[in-house]
Amino acid sequence: MDKFKIADPNFPLIQLPGDFDARRITRFGALRQGEEVEIINVMGPGCIRHLWFTFSISKDVELEIHCDGESSPQIKMKLNHFFGVLLGQTPYRIESAPIKLLPKSGFNCYLPIPFSSSCRVVLSNPGESDTSFWAMADWHRYDQDDAITPYRLHAGYRVESPAPPQSSYLVGDVSGRGFIAGLFKGIRKQDQSDLIYHTGGDLWMIDGEVNPHVMRGIGIEDSFGQSFGFFEDNSQWTGCPYEQSWGGGTATEGVVYRFFGIDTVPFKSSLIMRFGALGNHTESVLYTYLDREALGIEVESPKSWTLSGPFDCDSIEDFEREEFSEGPRGDWPENREWCERSFPPIDLESEHTWLDFTRYFRCTAQSKKGMQLQHVSAYAHTTIASESQCKEILRLGFDDWLKLWVNGKAVTTMRHDDGFAIQEVPVTLEKGNNEIMIKLSNFDNIEWRCWAFSLVLVR
């Protein structure tokens, strides 16, 4: 008879044996400059349920976690960053379910760290000062023949200083199968053109290879459960543990978090997460669970594209209007002057089959269009090589209206007014390179001005 399993109370996709021995490991001592200390080195199967650290100085300490003998660590980053302490700040209070920072410098992690054969946790000190440390690890030991969840915890830190202005900031680019557990995001204002939360919300482009779909947020503060700005607050799933205002005005820097428990965000082949950005110092930590046996899925999808536009589009008549982008590239203007900005043709690479127009076509918040454009259209151009003349199927996931040309001939116009849609379109490819052109519109809808598409050849 199969042994019963228990779902993790915070992340229910983590299923672990219900029969176990509770164990604890304790460590304390000095962590001198240039040294490392092994906190945990245990054989599995098992799962770390709680990590606790405290230090005399924590700012330079690095955390490294290896599970199941993998050559590369699942986690290798500054300990402060792993625990959500960003922007170079000293540890502040965090009161979330998976990550808790308590006075004074009490670092607590309740993210489950499962392993099937081994687990090793190491602290190192590459800084210029020695520190004292105390550590405890509470873990569950399972029977040798117990089946362990395939998911393993990963975490990654990113920083851009500044982030690309009037564009987007990449939080995560993940291949394989898994789910997002949560994230921290920190912003320090450098771009004086607008408020730090007038940059645009989150865009999740999910499973472009197998089942394209999206999630789109309104504003950055809304995506973290706040409203009309950042305000210091801690709760189980969302919070703003640090916020700084100068002169009693709006926030000039802050850190926010969101963890996904029962509102799990899974992916089967890949996930791209971006936030709208101004030219501000931006940092983030993304916590992901990955199935170590499920590798990324390879599909046939054009990698190199050229974008051109944007153009006003208030009606289907506007959308069907011929623009210069439908002519030879040699006849295009060097810049498209529009909405108080110049937009040259943009050569780019897709991300896991996706093209996000909003990443490139943004305006100033003071303009009549606003930063997240609406009532607009733009073009994307690429080529698909074929060894012979053949019939193929293009699977398109898109939002909102889309028109497709193959080798200069219009194939179809697809008008979806209720948000994201998936459609398979039969096409005929000629031997050699085939010119593909797509025109895509953007309006307000249930995905809040999502302006993106995915394209895959279905053989």
Side-chain angles (χ1 to χ4, degrees):
M1 186 176 73
D2 291 339
K3 296 181 179 180
F4 72 98
K5 299 288 179 62
I6 297 176
D8 184 85
N10 292 326
F11 304 104
L13 289 183
I14 301 293
Q15 304 277 328
L16 293 165
D19 187 11
F20 53 85
D21 294 332
R23 299 292 184 91
R24 172 175 289 176
I25 292 174
T26 59
R27 294 281 189 271
F28 70 94
L31 185 56
R32 295 182 175 86
Q33 178 186 355
E35 292 186 347
E36 67 176 37
V37 175
E38 189 175 77
I39 302 298
I40 303 167
N41 191 350
V42 296
M43 306 305 290
C47 181
I48 297 176
R49 305 302 315 195
H50 172 227
L51 281 173
W52 169 85
F53 303 102
T54 191
F55 303 86
S56 55
I57 303 172
S58 66
K59 64 182 180 68
D60 293 319
V61 175
E62 292 190 352
L63 172 69
E64 189 170 330
I65 299 178
H66 294 258
C67 289
D68 302 325
E70 296 289 338
S71 57
S72 299
Q74 299 165 210
I75 296 164
K76 184 177 175 60
M77 59 200 302
K78 282 192 174 184
L79 181 134
N80 274 12
H81 292 162
F82 178 80
F83 282 92
V85 181
L86 305 181
L87 304 179
Q89 297 300 309
T90 56
Y92 34 68
R93 181 72 180 267
I94 298 176
E95 187 57 51
S96 73
I99 297 289
K100 295 183 186 292
L101 263 63
L102 304 177
K104 300 177 177 180
S105 186
F107 294 84
N108 293 269
C109 171
Y110 291 93
L111 291 157
I113 305 174
F115 51 94
S116 60
S117 62
S118 63
C119 182
R120 183 170 178 262
V121 178
V122 176
L123 298 179
S124 60
N125 181 10
E128 299 178 354
S129 302
D130 296 344
T131 182
S132 300
F133 77 91
W134 294 258
M136 285 192 297
D138 296 302
W139 64 290
H140 292 171
R141 181 175 181 175
Y142 308 119
D143 289 341
Q144 195 62 39
D145 60 348
D146 281 345
I148 301 299
T149 176
Y151 293 117
R152 299 294 179 265
L153 175 65
H154 294 253
Y157 167 81
R158 293 196 73 255
V159 58
E160 292 189 26
S161 189
Q166 296 176 327
S167 182
S168 69
Y169 168 85
L170 178 66
V171 176
D173 177 343
V174 189
S175 296
R177 175 176 176 263
F179 65 93
I180 300 299
L183 71 150
F184 281 86
K185 192 164 187 285
I187 303 176
R188 175 174 291 125
K189 188 174 181 180
Q190 294 173 321
D191 187 336
Q192 302 303 317
S193 66
D194 203 355
L195 303 175
I196 63 174
Y197 19 79
H198 279 179
T199 56
D202 48 337
L203 173 62
W204 308 58
M205 298 180 288
I206 307 171
D207 291 342
E209 296 84 356
V210 296
N211 178 33
H213 55 289
V214 298
M215 299 196 307
R216 181 71 160 133
I218 299 175
I220 179 176
E221 74 274 33
D222 310 316
S223 302
F224 289 91
Q226 300 231 339
S227 60
F228 301 104
F230 293 159
F231 304 94
E232 283 194 33
D233 187 71
N234 278 285
S235 68
Q236 186 175 16
W237 302 113
T238 62
C240 176
Y242 166 73
E243 181 269 331
Q244 182 66 49
S245 297
W246 292 346
T250 56
T252 55
E253 60 182 68
V255 176
V256 286
Y257 65 82
R258 180 170 180 181
F259 287 95
F260 301 89
I262 57 173
D263 58 332
T264 301
V265 183
F267 49 92
K268 297 179 178 66
S269 64
S270 64
L271 180 144
I272 296 286
M273 187 199 307
R274 289 184 171 275
F275 275 83
L278 290 172
N280 295 318
H281 176 94
T282 307
E283 303 177 32
S284 61
V285 179
L286 184 66
Y287 305 89
T288 309
Y289 282 91
L290 293 176
D291 181 345
R292 62 193 180 98
E293 301 295 336
L295 302 177
I297 297 173
E298 295 292 333
V299 296
E300 190 170 348
S301 178
K303 190 65 176 176
S304 298
W305 293 81
T306 299
L307 301 189
S308 59
F311 305 94
D312 288 312
C313 183
D314 293 309
S315 65
I316 192 63
E317 290 76 22
D318 291 340
F319 186 68
E320 293 287 1
R321 183 176 56 233
E322 183 176 345
E323 308 288 1
F324 68 76
S325 299
E326 298 178 31
R329 178 153 183 182
D331 295 340
W332 296 1
E334 184 176 342
N335 284 291
R336 163 72 169 154
E337 302 295 332
W338 190 85
C339 191
E340 305 174 16
R341 286 190 66 190
S342 294
F343 294 93
I346 303 164
D347 296 318
L348 71 152
E349 292 192 346
S350 61
E351 297 178 301
H352 292 288
T353 80
W354 290 97
L355 263 74
D356 171 25
F357 285 40
T358 306
R359 180 179 170 189
Y360 303 96
F361 297 128
R362 305 283 295 272
C363 278
T364 62
Q366 291 79 13
S367 74
K368 64 177 181 179
K369 292 288 184 180
M371 287 195 68
Q372 298 180 70
L373 302 185
Q374 58 175 323
H375 295 281
V376 290
S377 64
Y379 291 79
H381 311 254
T382 193
T383 60
I384 296 177
S386 178
E387 295 181 354
S388 62
Q389 186 187 65
C390 58
K391 294 187 181 298
E392 299 285 1
I393 293 176
L394 301 184
R395 188 189 66 216
L396 291 154
F398 61 97
D399 188 329
D400 290 291
W401 303 345
L402 185 145
K403 187 171 183 177
L404 170 69
W405 291 260
V406 177
N407 294 322
K409 296 180 180 179
V411 175
T412 185
T413 298
M414 295 176 284
R415 179 176 175 178
H416 291 273
D417 295 311
D418 295 328
F420 195 84
I422 300 174
Q423 191 120 0
E424 293 189 348
V425 181
V427 298
T428 299
L429 299 182
E430 303 296 331
K431 182 178 180 179
N433 286 330
N434 293 263
E435 301 291 332
I436 306 296
M437 181 169 66
I438 287 175
K439 187 177 187 179
L440 189 68
S441 70
N442 194 35
F443 301 100
D444 270 331
N445 57 39
I446 59 174
E447 270 94 29
W448 184 252
R449 305 176 191 174
C450 176
W451 195 12
F453 75 87
S454 163
L455 185 150
V456 170
L457 272 78
V458 182
R459 294 294 188 182

